[in-house]
Amino acid sequence: MLTILTFFPVVGALIILALKLFKKETDLLIKQLAVGFSVATFLLSLLVLAQFDMAVSGLQMVNRAAWIPSWGISYLMGVDGLSILMVLLTTFISMLAIASSWTAITTQVKSYYVFMLLLEAGMLGVFLAQDLFLFYIFWEFTLIPMYFLIGIWGGKNRIYASIKFFLYTMAGSLLMLLAILYMGITNGTFALPDLIAGREAFAAAQNWLFIGFAIAFAIKVPLFPFHSWLPDAHTEAPTAGSIILAGVLLKMGTYGFMRFNLPLFPEASYQFAPTIAVLAIIGIIYGAIVSFAQKDVKKLVAYSSISHLGFVMLGIFALNEAGLQGAILQGVNHGLSTGALFFLVGVIYEQRHTRMMADFGGLWKVMPVFAVTSLIVTLSSMGLPGLNGFVGEFTILLGSMGSTALGTRPWIYTAFATTGVILAAVYLLWMYQNVFMGPLDKEENKKLRDMNGGELAIMLSFLLFIFWIGIAPSAYFLLMDSTVAKLVAHVMAAATVAMP
Amino acid sequence: MEFQVPAINLALLSPVLIVMVTGALIMLLEFFIPETRKGWYTWLSLVGIVLAFAQTATMWGSEAGTFTPVGGQPMVLLDNYATFLNLIFLITGALTILLAISYLRRTGLDRAEFYMLLLFSLSGMMLMGMANDLILVFLALEILSIPLYIMAGLAWPRGESEESAMKYFLLGAFSSGIFVFGIALTYGATGSTALPQVLTGIANGGALGLAGAAFLLVGLGFKVAAAPFHMWTPDVYEGAPTIVTAFMSVGAKVGGFAAMLRIFLAALPEIGDTWVTAVAVLSALTLIIGNVVAITQSNIKRMLAYSSIAHAGYIMIAVAASANSERGLSAALFYMFAYLFTTLGAFAIVMAREHQLGEGLQLNDYKGLARRHPLLALVMAYFMLSLTGVPPTGGFSGKFYLFRAAIEASSAGPDLLWLVLIGVVTSVISGYYYLRLVYLMYMTDGDGTLVEERHPAVVTAVAVTVAFTLLLGFMPGTWFDVTRQAVLWGGRLLAGG
């Protein structure tokens, strides 16, 4: 089931590539196929959700086959509470991203959709692989389509951005590869469940191993001070690329921390928790302040990601149930809100070919629907109660407040993080005010058309979940409850044995 | 003293002999085959290689020695290590010939000498892996090198090609001299040139033995293009006809490593720690110089030359690891196996882009290739990713294996983790220049025309290289096991003869 889900987009990509053989290749057909396959993949992931048993804390729907038996490498896929939401987020965001490219992409249409589908498959693989070797292959593989998406269809500075993105991530991943190899040698297996069970064998080196993994993931998240690739990549990527980058790719980093760092190196995680929490808070505040200084809307949204992901990291390293649950949910929230913001920026950019705040103003008058939906998404990103962002941030702050991993005065972390919420309101409202309020004084802006049916449909899909999570989040928490509880118990048990 | 004929079993040498005889046959037939029937040379040499390949394949699993002087050790060894290397060389030869057909015709170099020299050089390479005596290593080295010197100058009277041949010859001869000097010193220290006897004598050889080992390493370092003995590589690679560059970037390098590994493991374990440190330092230097200088290149052949220097550095990580990890040696074999397909594939694309000798070889000539020749660009991009070491490619599996070997070796001998870290950092650096080609192909617009390269032989060769790069990327397990059998069977190599 999980294998079918992961490789289903690849089938789509192959069919698109094969069209040429049957002399049926037209841009329209390619688009239809790509959208069709991404929708079908989303439906498949709903099927996985239907089969998912919330009461089970371990892996479910496991596929296992020997791959390189002499090395202890296996093809091992499974899903649990940590990944089920990420899988759904991936298929959902990919579907919307692919659909949103309908009019935006006019050159090399075939390659574009092939890369999008391959990227989707790679991301699903990252969230489902439970063997470190397999995980690493998917992890690195996602780089390739993203590199092309930024480099071919990106903005003015795309070459620089794409190569920076590639090299940054690759540098981090190779350190992770060394850590993976080390554990593979000491334990003779690369399967995650076996490694967790046998972690005694590499416990002595766990600080270094933790760092190896942490750097790879921290670059992806990005955690301050590893963030400098992100503004370039986000700004230069095509709209759909930005949506996927913010929506899913960054979550691969936070997911990696939860999936690998915490269970494999619990003592090291406990020990490094305050350090990472401090970096997370620096990220929250730094990202917010830099966002405020931006003149380019897309750049502003990009920097705001650094700030938002800081919350997620803080939640993870609170190392308690509330923190982790909040972190997972906030990952989803950020994917929805920021994905939607990038989409909105794309809509306006397609008409005006500028993203500078100074070029806009008073858009409310010509594009009322666009303005209303933008307002909701902005408020969601700010964390207004009743919308999704609030639930995640609140849970994380709650978690950090009661965290035992963050020393005797965890409320200090909470206090600093809370300033991030205030700052978010400052820069987001500032942006909203500049773009939508005030007089409509630019001649070009008077002829702008409002959203069309297709754009509205995509936007409503985003809004559906923004409201749903905001009003009734309990269903989402239930999905991850048992897995998170088990993970926290595992980490804290190991940490208290090590540090009485 | 009466001369006693050593015991000779020519059957063990049959693959080498088949290749040599085919070469000689071509030399003879040149007088009888009319100008219009040049295709015959191609087919004849392919038949020879296929026969030798079949013969080699049947030898997998056998272990024997021949040319054994009375009371001495065999000079020629045929074990799985040699057999596997022979397969590598024969595949290299076959792919080179497939790629050569249309290239030679297009560039007007279609002469019988090319095939003849290629086969002779090939037989020298095969002997490199089988030699169990320093004198035979030297012979093999010369049989390998001399045809290559001539091949590099095949495009005379073009200046670059002549320069390439001259440079290669002078530095090659120089390195041969150093190698011979190393043999002499080793002989002085141990009283023998047979590897098993060097093994027992070297510990008492003192400084003389160490000096001998050092000269041997330097001599082979030239052949594999390891820094700081790499200076000839860019000029020679650039000037030689591209098909020759492709052949020597794989064949000569693997040949050098074949002998280096055998000498090291069969004769020098006693001074292993010194040796490992020396190789590790050279490896680090090679990695850094190769990868950093490659960034500044604007000619594709020069870039690939520096890239081949860099890959020699990676293989040397495995060489250094082989002293203290069983996997080191098989990692080296695996890496070379993967390297063979990726490199030949990349050169095939370079040849497809080359209009005439020396034209169309700038990186800028690749601008916008993806628009006009999507398949060609895709294949080239895939090879670049493989050279960078991004999964799922053969290049990634190779790096994965050799990093693993080096980490394992660190727990049993001198620390190699620093070398692994250098390997990691330089891999990221290499991403920069390999991806620059990808970016030129995919992300810029350009014009320029391309020679229509649809010759079925070329298509076959490229298909094979792509297939194996994919296979080694997705399913490396089988080949991990094969390379392991290649070095552990009977334990002869690791047990020191």
Side-chain angles (χ1 to χ4, degrees), chain A residues 10-49:
Chain A
V10 179
V11 175
L14 289 178
I15 290 178
I16 290 178
L17 283 175
L19 284 180
K20 203 170 185 184
L21 298 178
F22 304 107
K23 309 243 182 303
K24 292 248 171 68
E25 190 180 284
T26 60
D27 284 357
L28 182 66
L29 184 59
I30 289 171
K31 286 185 206 168
Q32 286 167 341
L33 271 173
V35 173
F37 266 91
S38 62
V39 171
T41 313
F42 178 62
L43 295 178
L44 267 177
S45 68
L46 290 181
L47 214 58
V48 169
L49 178 67

Side-chain angles (χ1 to χ4, degrees), chain B residues 35 155 213 338:
Chain B
E35 278 288 299

